[in-house]
Structure formats: structure tokens, C-alpha cells
């Protein structure tokens, strides 16, 4: 019984020991296919929205069979922290700030400070 999905059942109304009176939720089996021909079958609830792309267990991207092909969006790449930092400062400025912070940390530890200014 653990391999079936159940739809709303009242507590104490039916025994969980037997499957009598238990109605499984309606399901649909969907097929995806990778570029190398690998088939991937996924079971969804009947009312679920089916995604156009699915990642298989092997890590490959599979496309819905007989479905709409996913549109490659030409979105801007995600900006990283480093990209945003470079918008505000130049690399020489960042090196100077890094050296200043390292000098402060070394002073706190009681180490000798070598300033390269």
C-alpha cells in the first residue's frame, strides 16, 4: 500500500491494515527522453502541471515526449558578488582595501605589520 498515493481519508473511518475501501488518487505516467535516447518515466498526479524538462537519475536533461520544446531564454547571466563588487571598485582599490584590513588584523594579533604603501 505504500506505493500508492491516497486521497483524503477520515481518521478512524477505515483500517490501514487492508486496502479495502481505499481509493488511490488518479495518476498519469509521463515519458521524457534524453538526447542520447535514454527514456525517463515519471508519475504525476492527474491534475499536476507537467514540466517540459526533467532531470533524469543519471543527471541528464530529458525533454517531454510529444510536448512543446522548451524555449531557450536569452536571459542575462546571474550577477555574482564579485561582478557587483567590480561595478563599485577597481581591482587596485580592492587590493589596497585588502591590505589595510590584513594590517589591522595582524596588529590585533600582535604580529609585525609590513605595509606596502
Amino acid at each position: 500500500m505504500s506505493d500508492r498515493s491516497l486521497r483524503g481519508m477520515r481518521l478512524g473511518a477505515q483500517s490501514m491494515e487492508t486496502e479495502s475501501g481505499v481509493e488511490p488518487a488518479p495518476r498519469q505516467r509521463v515519458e521524457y527522453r534524453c538526447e542520447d535516447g535514454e527514456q525517463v518515466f515519471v508519475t504525476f498526479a492527474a491534475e499536476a502541471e507537467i514540466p517540459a524538462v526533467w532531470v533524469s537519475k543519471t543527471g541528464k536533461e530529458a525533454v517531454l515526449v510529444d510536448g512543446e520544446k522548451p524555449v531557450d531564454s536569452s536571459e542575462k547571466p546571474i550577477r555574482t558578488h564579485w561582478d557587483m563588487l567590480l561595478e563599485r571598485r577597481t581591482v587596485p582599490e580592492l587590493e589596497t582595501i585588502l591590505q589595510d584590513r590584513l594590517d589591522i588584523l595582524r596588529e590585533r594579533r600582535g604580529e609585525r605589520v609590513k605595509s606596502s604603501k
Side-chain angles (χ1 to χ4, degrees):
M1 186 159 125
S2 63
D3 63 334
R4 295 189 181 157
S5 54
L6 301 177
R7 183 165 293 224
M9 194 172 109
R10 294 179 303 236
L11 290 175
Q14 296 165 332
S15 170
M16 296 300 283
E17 292 179 8
T18 64
E19 294 185 14
S20 62
V22 175
E23 181 183 326
R27 298 175 285 184
Q28 58 182 326
R29 189 172 187 215
V30 180
E31 180 184 356
Y32 291 89
R33 196 164 290 145
C34 297
E35 286 183 9
D36 63 357
E38 178 186 351
Q39 292 179 316
V40 179
F41 294 97
V42 183
T43 304
F44 291 99
E47 64 271 357
E49 191 173 314
I50 308 300
V53 178
W54 190 263
V55 178
S56 69
K57 290 181 181 178
T58 57
K60 295 182 254 176
E61 206 171 75
V63 180
L64 182 63
V65 174
D66 299 330
E68 293 181 18
K69 302 292 181 205
V71 179
D72 289 337
S73 60
S74 306
E75 295 179 14
K76 295 190 314 186
I78 298 173
R79 294 187 325 165
T80 64
H81 179 72
W82 180 249
D83 295 332
M84 290 183 270
L85 192 59
L86 288 177
E87 289 175 5
R88 296 188 309 269
R89 308 231 185 235
T90 64
V91 173
E93 286 177 322
L94 291 171
E95 289 175 353
T96 303
I97 293 170
L98 174 64
Q99 190 59 49
D100 291 344
R101 296 305 301 168
L102 287 173
D103 289 345
I104 292 169
L105 287 173
R106 289 181 181 132
E107 283 177 12
R108 285 186 189 163
R109 292 182 182 167
E111 295 177 13
R112 191 172 202 192
V113 177
K114 297 184 275 184
S115 183
S116 59
K117 292 181 184 176

